[in-house]
Structures are given as structure tokens and as C-alpha cells.
Amino acid sequence: MNLRRLFLEHVAQTSASPLGIEIKKAKGTRLWDSDGKEFIDLIAGISVCNVGHRHPRVIKAIKQQLDDYMHVLVYGEMIESPQVQYAKALTEQLPPSLNSVYFTNSGAEAVEGALKLAKRSTNRVGIVAFKNSYHGSTQGALSVIGDEEWRNAFRPLLPGVLHLEYNSFDDLKHINSSTACVIVESVQAEAGVILPAKGWMQAIKNKCTETGSLLILDEIQTGFGRTGSLWFFEQLGIVPDILLLGKALGGGMPLGAFVSDKAIMWQLTNAPVLGHITTFGGHPVCCAAGLAALKVLLEEKIIKDIREKENLFMKLLWHPLIRSVHSSGLLIAVEFDSFELNKRVIDACIKEGVLTDWFLFAPHCLRIAPPLTISKKDIKKACAIIIAALDLHTPKASNDSITLE
């Protein structure tokens, strides 16, 4: 049996028609399949590989940690340098109130831990989330994502969750003294890169302060320079009570985290003890990789070029079939009239060596979220391929009714 057949038979499928590209190698902003075909990566593992695939400094850190130890006992009595050093490095890049890091295996588990922490800390059960938000696929995370089609198939879910309209000032009146927390994406990624309205996040923060609710800010996809600053909340002028991290946090290795003030985080240590535990969260190899990636991001000053690269994408992505382009740094959604057109463009791009995809709650939008190290040359080449794919579907002028090919 070839590998594709084995994949289809023995690896659980999440869709009826997976891409099925057999990846043999990845480096920088490139992927190669089993036939040697090269792809420009516009996905970065869904905003994971911010410093590129297999950055030499990340690989070196992983190998050095492998020489020392792998898994021993992550949450318990042992002090493990990679975890401690990474927590210290993260908090040095965060406001003083975000000083305690709980490492998890993924962003979804970070959501779970944060929801538990908020309920435990406030002694409340009400949770406010927003429509078209995405926070993960575990039961608790699924309860707060903002799409009923995804939620309904797995009910019953967490009780007491209220979904409000993103960017509605009026809806914030529903945050009250029974609300344990408000969980919100800094930018709604899977909705097609929807940015918060001016002053809206500050209004949420003010309402949380007024009611004693905790603000949980999901920066799982927007963190680590993706939007042009290390954290998007720096652009908002607010500080969350709990910050969610994941994706790029591990430098390509599986890692998530929720970050809060030690006084809040301490609630997980008693009544009951071990209020949140994980076997592999904060794995030393993952933390070593993540710390190396953070150092690369900061020391190689990768973030300073994000706006210029964003502007180049915006300049080149013009076509009659493009309805609009939404962007926040190198998180970009190219909007078309339909999923059908978007899928044809995606397939044409893959055929020509550009890997892209669509958004979960905006299937008519094409995803662009490349490694932040992508060159201007690759941006121009990728955009040219996208435009050429659209040209194949541009209606020809005639006296008859116009249809797409």
C-alpha cells in the first residue's frame, strides 16, 4: 500500500475530501511534496510557523534539549529550565499583571483552563462570548465558539453561555454581576479577519471592571507578531485579565498557554488542589523550541517589516472578482462572492505551487497567513498566481448571459 492509501485507511479524517498532499520536507517559507513539487506556504500551519519552518535556531534548541531530557514530570514538583525560562521570557514581554503562565498542549486546552480559572476566581458561572468567534473544538471551547452549526451537533454543551454580536456596543449591557468572564478574539480570524471597532474593546474592558467579570482575550492566532505588533492588545490600549496563547507559541511544536496575574492563577492550587492539570503541557522540548522562536522573532526584528508586507499584499490583490480584502498584518482574508469560486482559486493555486485555504466561518474568503519571514519576491509571486487563477474565471464579455467557467 502507498502512503496515501494508508493515510485514508488509518488516520481519522476531518473532512470527506482532504487535500492529500504528501509533505516530505519543509524549510523557511517552502514545502515540498513526495514528487519534489515546491509550494510557497501561505498558511504557516494555520499561523503556527511565524519564524518559518525549521528555523536553524529552533532546531538547535530542540536538539540541545533532547540531549538533556524529554518528558519527565511537567506539572508537579520538578523545576524544568525550558519551562521556567520561557515563562520568564514571555512575562518580560507582557504587562506586569500578566506575570504567571500556565502552559498547556494547545490553544483549545488554554481556553478550557482559562474558563475554569475565571469561574473558580469569581465564583460565577455566566460566560459571555461572541458570534462568529472561534476558540477551539473541545467541549468547553466549542461551547463558546460563535457558530450554531458547529455547536448544535455536539449538544449538550456548557450551560450559561451567552453569545453577543461582535462589535455591538449595545450588546455589552448583557455583561452583569453574574458574568464570570467575557471571552473574545482580539481579531475574529475564522470569521474572515474582522477587526474590533474603535473603542469597542475598551468598552468591554470597562464593563468587566464595572461588573467584576474577567476579560479573557484570545490571541492564539494573532499573537507573536502576526498583526504587526507582538500582541494585538498593544494596539488596543487594554490589558486582559487572562491572555490566551497557542499556535506560534511553540515555534512549530505543540504548545498553548493561559497567562494571568499570580493572585488569580493561585486559585487553581487549592480547594481543590490540582485545580487544572495536564500531562504534557509545557513539555521541555516544546518550551525550548518556543523560547528559541521568540528570541528569533525579537532579535531578528521580524515584526518591523510586517506592515510593509501587508501593504504589498493589499496593493497586489486587486481583481474584479475580489469583493474586498480584510487584513491585520499578515492575517489576510480575500473575499469572493462564493465558496465555489474560492475553492476553484485555492485548487488552481495549489496546482501552481501556492498553498492556501479558506476560513472556517467565512468559506468564501481565501486565507493568507504565511510565515512572517516571507520575502517580497514570494509575496509578488504568490499574488500573481492568485490573480492568474482568478483570470481563468473572469466572465468574457458577450451578448449572452455571463457564467463562470
Side-chain angles (χ1 to χ4, degrees), residues 72-347:
V72 284
L73 180 64
V74 177
Y75 278 95
E77 303 301 320
M78 296 186 181
I79 301 169
E80 301 180 25
S81 179
Q83 189 184 90
V84 174
Q85 295 303 322
Y86 197 14
K88 177 177 180 291
L90 285 169
T91 56
E92 287 174 348
Q93 301 299 324
L94 291 167
S97 60
L98 295 174
N99 52 53
S100 181
V101 182
Y102 193 111
F103 287 111
T104 63
N105 302 285
S106 66
E109 190 192 326
V111 172
E112 298 285 347
L115 293 176
K116 288 173 61 180
L117 177 62
K119 291 163 72 175
R120 176 71 178 83
S121 179
T122 63
N123 289 315
R124 303 174 184 177
V125 297
I127 298 171
V128 167
F130 294 90
K131 296 176 182 178
N132 292 324
S133 60
Y134 181 78
H135 300 290
S137 290
T138 51
Q139 288 279 296
L142 185 64
S143 301
V144 295
I145 72 170
D147 190 284
E148 181 57 23
E149 180 183 355
W150 265 262
R151 294 195 306 264
N152 188 54
F154 301 99
R155 289 190 181 279
L157 298 170
L158 285 181
V161 179
L162 178 64
H163 287 88
L164 308 181
E165 292 287 344
Y166 191 84
N167 278 336
S168 170
F169 285 87
D170 186 59
D171 273 10
L172 302 186
K173 65 188 177 187
H174 297 292
I175 301 169
N176 54 44
S177 59
S178 66
T179 305
C181 62
V182 177
I183 180 169
V184 59
E185 291 174 279
S186 55
V187 174
Q188 282 202 319
E190 296 304 319
V193 189
I194 307 301
L195 276 70
K198 184 177 181 181
W200 186 67
M201 284 287 187
Q202 184 63 61
I204 295 177
K205 178 64 175 177
N206 293 344
K207 192 68 175 177
C208 285
T209 301
E210 174 190 328
T211 60
S213 310
L214 298 185
L215 173 58
I216 302 175
L217 192 61
D218 186 336
E219 292 251 16
I220 291 169
Q221 190 158 183
T222 55
F224 296 93
R226 174 62 54 186
T227 65
S229 57
L230 190 58
W231 322 112
F232 188 82
F233 70 77
E234 296 174 298
Q235 302 176 37
L236 300 172
I238 65 167
V239 178
D241 298 296
I242 305 175
L243 177 67
L244 303 178
L245 301 176
K247 295 193 181 293
L249 176 68
M253 297 288 284
L255 193 63
F258 55 104
V259 188
S260 190
D261 189 271
K262 187 172 179 63
I264 297 174
M265 198 74 82
W266 189 255
Q267 301 294 321
L268 296 177
T269 68
N270 60 87
V273 68
L274 305 176
H276 191 68
I277 52 177
T278 170
T279 298
F280 294 110
H283 192 282
V285 179
C286 299
C287 285
L291 177 57
L294 177 61
K295 289 180 178 179
V296 168
L297 193 66
L298 298 175
E299 294 171 8
E300 298 186 10
K301 302 186 185 305
I302 292 171
I303 298 174
K304 71 179 178 63
D305 296 326
I306 300 302
R307 293 295 183 196
E308 188 177 356
K309 293 175 180 179
E310 175 189 11
N311 291 336
L312 182 56
F313 270 114
M314 298 295 284
K315 177 183 176 181
L316 296 174
L317 290 171
W318 185 93
H319 192 278
L321 294 180
I322 294 177
R323 292 180 57 184
S324 64
V325 182
H326 313 149
S327 70
S328 181
L330 288 181
L331 182 60
I332 301 171
V334 183
E335 183 180 3
F336 304 118
D337 281 331
S338 68
F339 169 72
E340 289 72 24
L341 174 57
N342 188 28
K343 184 63 166 64
R344 291 199 294 268
V345 172
I346 290 169
D347 290 344

Side-chain angles (χ1 to χ4, degrees), residues 319 345 348-349 352 382-394:
H319 192 278
V345 172
C349 286
E352 295 301 319
C383 287
I385 289 173
I386 292 170
I387 298 303
L390 285 168
D391 284 341
L392 294 174
H393 298 286
T394 301

